[in-house]
Amino acid sequence: MKKRRMLCALCLLLGLMMLCSGCEKKESADDYLGRLITRAKENEGELQSVLETGIADAKSSNDFVIDFPDELKESYEAFLKEALNQVQFELNKADKESNDTYIIRVTYEPIDIAATTKETDAGYVKNISGTDFTTEVKNLLEEDTKLLSNATKQQKKSRTITVKKSGDSYKVSKKDITALLQDALQGYMAPYEAVGTVFDFRDFMQAYLDAYFKGDTERYCMHTGESAEEAAAWYEESFNSFRLDDLTEDQNTRFINAIKAIYKNCQYTLGAMRQVSLTEYQFDLTATPNTSIVNAASELDAGTYYSTAEVADAFLNIYDKYAAAPSYGTETTVTINWNSLNMASSNASADENFNRLVETIIPSE
């Protein structure tokens, strides 16, 4: 009898379990979409497509030559997660469009990250003290994250998302969910663009110096859009001012080749770049002055010559000597102001700041 009661109880328990299992509420299409949004809020890894799309858009719209560092992605996704948590999404009950297709209206109040961080970002780029792009963006993200709890909000808006039935579950286009999250986070690449604008210009200045002094024009071409042939012609033309009427064509060629060799041995390091205004930048330049031209002139003046031919011969020999073994002064650091409108090579040489920069690297008097 006892065994029979136990068997009946077991059957009853199994029956209840089956009944409960059969009554379990199935996930709806709107529940599924809500779960995707919640997952994005809780896990920054879900925001990878949002960031990747933002990186591509920022690079294109700003015409950046520099690339977004891979080591920065984790920090930026964490920033996006914090921003997304400031947005509330309301989902209407799904409308069934067909047997396997549902339409859901999502209502939300986007936050304007660009407007929220504008003042802080502008202040930050005026005082950048480092030369590591990743570090500077991370530092700014930390400052901007503090502002998100009081983020500027835009007017409430809504958009429809299509959810498709897939077996016992659902699917949403990755493109659609990415677009929704992007729209909820207006201007979310602003911190990156603020620092990126400064560092892209810093990269240009490095490329400019390398092209001007060393004839290394590859990255210069990337910034200016000039062809390799056009950049090479500009480099050659920049030495035409060294041509002397008292020298023959062959002697001028020899002299200019010596000057090129001296220039290629110039030593300079570009320091921190700061954005003072929309087009004005300020940067630190550390150089070990190449004193070859100054010393060559002094050495030539100290000699005694009895003919024009002797002067020319001594002149060329002295410059050949410094081309083979340049002389240097004491390392110095100066602060240079530069207008980005002078990115065109034809404008730069007429700028007094450009002349100061050149004189710091290779004094002529």
Side-chain angles (χ1 to χ4, degrees), residues 63-67 69 72 124-125 127-140 191-207 219 223 270-275 281-282 343:
D63 200 25
F64 285 161
V65 169
I66 56 171
D67 293 319
L72 179 58
Y124 188 87
V125 296
N127 296 288
I128 290 177
S129 60
T131 58
D132 183 76
F133 183 33
T134 300
T135 299
E136 295 304 324
V137 178
K138 283 184 177 180
N139 288 343
L140 182 55
Y192 163 68
E193 291 178 310
V195 180
T197 297
V198 177
F199 272 79
D200 198 74
F201 188 72
R202 181 179 184 274
D203 190 77
F204 162 75
M205 284 305 307
Q206 184 67 56
R219 201 154 183 89
H223 279 278
L270 194 60
M273 176 78 70
R274 300 167 289 275
Q275 186 174 19
Y281 292 83
Q282 187 181 82
M343 288 180 74

Side-chain angles (χ1 to χ4, degrees), residues 145-158:
T145 298
K146 301 172 186 177
L147 306 174
L148 294 176
S149 59
N150 293 307
T152 301
K153 295 185 177 181
Q154 297 185 339
Q155 288 187 337
K156 186 174 288 189
K157 62 194 302 185
S158 62

Side-chain angles (χ1 to χ4, degrees), residues 202-303:
R202 181 179 184 274
D203 190 77
F204 162 75
M205 284 305 307
Q206 184 67 56
Y208 186 96
L209 294 176
D210 291 344
Y212 183 83
F213 286 101
K214 303 177 185 298
D216 181 2
T217 61
E218 181 178 358
R219 201 154 183 89
Y220 171 81
C221 289
M222 293 173 66
H223 279 278
T224 62
E226 293 183 20
S227 66
E229 292 75 18
E230 289 172 328
W234 165 70
Y235 172 71
E236 293 296 333
E237 288 169 6
S238 67
F239 290 97
N240 284 341
S241 60
F242 286 96
R243 292 186 175 278
L244 300 175
D245 294 337
D246 294 337
L247 299 180
T248 66
E249 185 62 31
D250 287 344
Q251 288 174 328
N252 264 314
T253 298
R254 178 180 166 186
F255 171 48
I256 289 174
N257 285 338
I259 292 294
K260 286 181 180 178
I262 291 171
Y263 266 50
K264 286 182 178 182
N265 281 291
C266 285
Q267 300 176 4
Y268 50 84
T269 301
L270 194 60
M273 176 78 70
R274 300 167 289 275
Q275 186 174 19
V276 180
S277 66
L278 184 62
T279 61
E280 292 286 339
Y281 292 83
Q282 187 181 82
F283 59 91
D284 302 319
L285 178 78
T286 299
T288 302
N290 187 327
T291 57
S292 300
I293 292 178
V294 172
N295 289 343
S298 297
E299 192 170 328
L300 183 67
D301 288 343

